[in-house]
Amino acid sequence: MTGIMDNNERTEFVTLLKDIYTGDSNALKSLDRITGIIFPGGFTALHIATIAGHLKIVNELVKMVRDDYLEIQDDNGDTALSLAACSGEMKIVECLVQKNDKLLTIRNKEGYIPLVVACFNKKKDMSSYLYSVTPFEFLLPENSNQGTLFLKYCVLNSMVDVGLDLFLRCPQLAATTREFITISELSVHPHLFLGGTTLVPYERLLYKCW
């Protein structure tokens, strides 16, 4: 639906939006129509179903659309995968990645790929999963700053074990990550200082290299 809508179209539009967001079964009957609609905020039906956490609707949408439908970004540059990574909807994330793994390297307007979005929002299990499926080469400092950002938020959010594998596989990220952590961030994260907490062995290893 584009342009100026008459009253009937507007009513249908609002009803479809409500059905998708609430997970109403009527939404499943209208999937063939709603895939062509861009809602306010740049949201597709897939964005809305993802935000609402309705796995059944997401699954049905994913089955019927082309891969590039999943790559549509909202006004903030977020794909449905990015939104699911933020909220921690693991089943939805797995569904989207299985359909189109190109989503793993699409950045939003903040410049974050889904892995970094998850880590920034302290979603530990989600970060672990996305790290396991994100192309490792993409995280290397010569290819992007995403590995650096990921390691930064692992450290700031006390998720050292999640980032440890990346650090061990690419130690040079420690130097670039230090440059991304500001004094103000350090001041509110005492666990970054050896005297601020008791470190387990693998945390000591990372600290010594930091």
Side-chain angles (χ1 to χ4, degrees):
M1 295 180 183
T2 57
I4 299 176
M5 295 182 285
D6 61 29
N7 288 336
N8 289 335
E9 288 176 327
R10 188 176 296 107
T11 298
E12 180 185 19
F13 181 89
V14 172
T15 299
L16 286 173
L17 178 59
K18 180 181 177 181
D19 287 346
I20 298 167
Y21 190 78
T22 60
D24 193 289
S25 59
N26 287 326
L28 294 175
K29 301 175 184 178
S30 308
L31 291 181
D32 57 333
R33 290 186 294 135
I34 63 179
T35 54
I37 301 175
I38 300 297
F39 294 93
F43 298 126
T44 64
L46 185 60
H47 282 103
I48 296 170
T50 297
I51 291 170
H54 295 309
L55 177 62
K56 185 174 182 179
I57 294 179
V58 170
N59 278 330
E60 292 302 317
L61 278 168
V62 166
K63 289 177 185 177
M64 65 180 297
V65 298
R66 294 175 15 168
D67 290 2
D68 57 2
Y69 180 80
L70 279 65
E71 299 172 18
I72 297 175
Q73 296 168 275
D74 64 19
D75 290 352
N76 291 321
D78 288 307
T79 62
L81 178 61
S82 183
L83 295 176
C86 177
S87 62
E89 295 287 348
M90 184 66 76
K91 293 294 185 182
I92 291 179
V93 164
E94 292 173 341
C95 173
L96 297 173
V97 171
Q98 184 175 12
K99 175 75 172 183
N100 185 351
D101 60 7
K102 292 181 182 178
L103 301 174
L104 293 165
T105 56
I106 295 180
R107 310 181 200 203
N108 61 16
K109 286 188 176 179
E110 294 293 326
Y112 296 169
I113 61 173
L115 169 63
V116 178
V117 169
C119 195
F120 175 81
N121 287 282
K122 302 180 182 180
K123 306 297 183 182
K124 186 174 182 179
D125 291 341
M126 182 66 70
S127 296
S128 296
Y129 169 72
L130 288 172
Y131 174 65
S132 74
V133 294
T134 299
F136 178 73
E137 294 75 16
F138 190 79
L139 301 177
L140 298 177
E142 60 266 29
N143 295 327
S144 77
N145 67 344
Q146 298 302 300
T148 296
L149 290 170
F150 174 55
L151 189 55
K152 167 186 174 175
Y153 291 120
C154 282
V155 172
L156 292 180
N157 293 330
S158 302
M159 295 162 57
V160 178
D161 54 333
V162 182
L164 184 61
D165 183 77
L166 176 61
F167 169 74
L168 293 176
R169 294 172 70 183
C170 186
Q172 62 266 38
L173 279 172
T176 56
T177 303
R178 277 198 300 266
E179 298 172 4
F180 273 72
I181 297 181
T182 66
I183 295 299
S184 59
E185 289 170 328
L186 289 172
S187 67
V188 295
H189 292 85
H191 67 277
L192 295 178
F193 301 94
L194 193 56
T197 187
T198 300
L199 304 180
V200 297
Y202 65 81
E203 290 176 324
R204 285 184 179 276
L205 170 63
L206 185 54
Y207 179 87
K208 289 179 179 178
C209 298
W210 191 247

